[in-house]
Amino acid sequence: MSAASMAALAADLAAGRRSALQLADDALARAERAAALNSFIRIDADGARSAARAVDAQRAAGAALPALAGIPFAHKDIFCTRGVATTCGSRMLRDFVPPYDAQVVERLASAGAVSLGKTNMDEFAMGSSNENSAYGAVANPWDTARVPGGSSGGSAAAVAAGIVPFATGTDTGGSIRQPAAFCGITGLKPTYGRVSRYGMIAYASSLDCAGVLARSAADCAIVFDAIAGFDPRDATSVARPAEATAALLEQPLAGLRIGIAREYFGSGVQAGVGERVHAALRELERLGAVLVDVSLPNAHHAIAAYYVIAPAEASSNLARYDGVRYGHRTAHARSLDELYSLSRAEGFGAEVQRRILVGTYALSAGYYDAYYLRAQKVRRLIANDFAAAFAGVDLIAGPTAPTTAFRLGEKAGDALAMYAADVNTVAVNLAGLPAISLPAGLAGGLPAGLQLIAPAFAEARLLNAAHRLQLATDWHLQEPAA
Ligand code: GLN
């Protein structure tokens, strides 16, 4: 519907051709026209208009404003927003109105970005298709019979449909990159600890990362620069100054060494996806990059390790939803035990309950060593694989997901098939690394994603390579038919 880049919108705003209020009204109208996608859980039209008016007033008063001032966007409904309901895709939090803003929310608000509201997501960010939302599935704008990916499916669909130029997301095992790939947009998962998790509802705390979904790497860089940095309220936030990546986008790629991870091109990769990824790699080579074969020998253990560690942490994080302090409370309890168990049985959906059971089991006294401890050792091996590979290359590349977007319902009854959709993304979280998914053209009419992975804190290198590729190609400009 509207693929204007953020730089173009910012130029329009600065020149007075458009006001922030006009941009907000246009985005709200697009959201209404695209309501059938179900990409939003809540639209806060009044909040958006008053934020836009505030930016317009500042501009009229002659203030120098940041690049994001007046740009409409949306937050994944996992970020706490003061005074605006935050459900995390769950019935458990249907009526939860946070008394505070997440750090990411604060940062974007102080940069003047105008939030339209909260996007749909898999419940507690558990899923790869957005079918686990208590507020209904989201449709992929490229084919509404298909999933947008998950768990940041609402954010990805809203950007791909042109409702907003960017949206926030979170990525615990691929939830920014895989929906970006399925929806034909660009998604950046930063280094663990680079963006504060303060006010971001916890799924698996040692893996959770906040990031951004946008049309291009250049737009991702603007948003990343606004949200990255130390926050004393998150004990895992890294006290290291964030470099301004937007200023480093243009560097030539000559001599950049890109490792082609052979494990990422296994038999499960759909032929069309493999072709598109190879085409993108050839383009990077034409731009001066050197392609090198690398191996990540423990890659095939990543899914198993992730689906022990993530549920283990989730089972602990989700223990707080007990029907007593906040969240859903059953009306049918006859005892305290029933208050806990019925509140949780009524409030949590099937996949969340499955993860709590798996995680509790893996952490139990008799099985801790066999599952949780073993998974942590595998996690170390996976991180070591990346460290060894990065001794010889600057970036590692492969398909973001092995397939294009699958059909709604296709994997919904088969948890293991669903988990396999994350085969190329979860290892990155286990190792805490930054990665980006970029559109690499269409396979069978649907977007295919290229994933680039970098060493910790090398977001600038990732965004630079992605931006140079996007300057030379038009895959990121392809849009679904209205
Ligand atoms: N699909 C993965 C899961 O269900 C990843 C989700 C995420 O990154 N939040 O856990």
Side-chain angles (χ1 to χ4, degrees):
M1 290 190 234
S2 139
S5 72
M6 280 163 48
L9 293 175
D12 282 351
L13 288 165
R17 286 187 292 270
R18 314 284 298 282
S19 69
L21 186 59
Q22 282 168 338
L23 293 188
D25 278 331
D26 289 355
L28 289 165
R30 289 193 296 269
E32 200 156 301
R33 284 203 298 279
L37 293 174
N38 200 27
S39 59
F40 280 82
I41 290 177
R42 182 172 303 263
I43 291 181
D44 178 16
D46 292 343
R49 291 196 180 100
S50 74
R53 281 196 196 95
V55 171
D56 286 335
Q58 284 175 318
R59 201 179 304 272
L65 298 177
L68 281 166
I71 306 285
F73 77 106
H75 275 300
K76 184 177 182 177
D77 204 20
I78 196 168
F79 291 100
C80 285
T81 41
R82 183 159 34 113
V84 179
T86 299
T87 69
C88 217
S90 183
R91 178 172 148 78
M92 183 61 86
L93 292 176
R94 179 183 293 274
D95 302 315
F96 174 57
V97 180
Y100 62 99
D101 281 329
Q103 162 84 349
V104 166
V105 171
E106 254 178 25
R107 285 284 194 98
L108 289 173
S110 65
V114 173
S115 174
L116 246 52
K118 312 296 289 286
T119 59
N120 205 339
M121 57 179 286
D122 282 303
E123 184 174 9
F124 285 103
M126 298 176 191
S128 311
S129 69
N130 216 114
E131 294 167 290
N132 296 336
S133 169
Y135 304 93
V138 174
N140 188 317
W142 289 85
D143 175 350
T144 53
R146 291 180 185 268
V147 305
S151 65
S152 310
S155 288
V159 172
I163 298 171
V164 282
F166 80 92
T168 56
T170 61
D171 191 311
T172 302
S175 282
I176 288 175
R177 291 161 286 155
Q178 185 253 24
F182 279 13
C183 289
I185 60 171
T186 305
L188 175 70
K189 176 233 175 275
T191 309
Y192 182 78
R194 179 72 293 181
V195 178
S196 171
R197 291 185 295 111
Y198 177 79
M200 189 176 115
I201 295 174
Y203 162 15
S205 309
S206 78
L207 302 161
D208 293 344
C209 279
V212 53
L213 299 100
R215 299 297 303 245
S216 66
D219 285 356
C220 284
I222 295 171
V223 180
F224 172 72
D225 288 346
I227 62 176
F230 178 60
D231 177 7
R233 297 173 300 183
D234 169 3
T236 60
S237 173
V238 177
R240 159 180 174 143
E243 55 182 349
T245 62
L248 303 169
L249 288 176
E250 304 290 338
Q251 304 167 91
L253 301 189
L256 183 81
R257 292 172 67 82
I258 300 182
I260 314 299
R262 75 176 79 101
E263 289 80 4
Y264 290 165
F265 292 89
S267 57
V269 178
Q270 191 181 307
V273 170
E275 275 162 31
R276 292 317 314 157
V277 168
H278 283 298
L281 290 169
R282 280 196 301 276
E283 192 59 36
L284 283 163
E285 196 172 29
R286 212 182 55 77
L287 294 170
V290 180
L291 304 185
V292 186
D293 213 17
V294 296
S295 174
L296 301 166
N298 293 290
H300 61 289
H301 295 309
I303 289 275
Y306 173 86
Y307 277 100
V308 170
I309 294 169
E313 294 187 16
S315 72
S316 168
N317 274 325
L318 272 58
R320 71 188 71 174
Y321 305 104
D322 54 10
V324 175
R325 286 163 291 193
Y326 58 96
H328 176 74
R329 177 183 294 178
T330 183
H332 309 292
R334 285 161 308 177
S335 66
L336 182 60
D337 277 350
E338 273 190 16
L339 175 74
Y340 298 146
S341 58
L342 290 177
S343 295
R344 288 167 69 79
E346 293 166 9
F348 290 138
E351 181 62 23
V352 172
Q353 293 189 27
R354 187 198 329 266
R355 306 265 180 122
I356 292 171
L357 287 171
V358 167
T360 305
Y361 184 83
L363 289 176
S364 60
Y367 296 100
Y368 181 92
D369 289 359
Y371 295 110
Y372 184 71
L373 198 63
R374 176 75 60 98
Q376 290 289 22
K377 291 178 178 172
V378 173
R379 179 178 192 169
R380 169 53 56 195
L381 295 177
I382 287 169
N384 289 350
D385 280 357
F386 279 115
F390 281 128
V393 297
D394 302 305
L395 297 174
I396 292 174
T400 306
T403 67
T404 53
F406 44 88
R407 282 183 298 284
L408 284 154
E410 188 178 329
K411 297 184 199 281
D414 183 348
L416 291 181
M418 190 70 87
Y419 298 170
D422 305 329
V423 62
N424 293 353
T425 48
V426 294
V428 168
N429 301 72
L430 290 169
L433 303 176
I436 194 165
S437 179
L438 306 172
L442 304 183
L446 294 169
L450 163 74
Q451 174 171 239
L452 298 175
I453 307 166
F457 302 108
E459 283 89 359
R461 189 187 301 165
L462 268 185
L463 289 162
N464 168 221
H467 176 65
R468 294 299 301 212
L469 180 66
Q470 291 183 336
L471 284 179
T473 58
D474 62 2
W475 301 317
H476 64 297
L477 301 176
Q478 291 178 314
E479 288 182 84

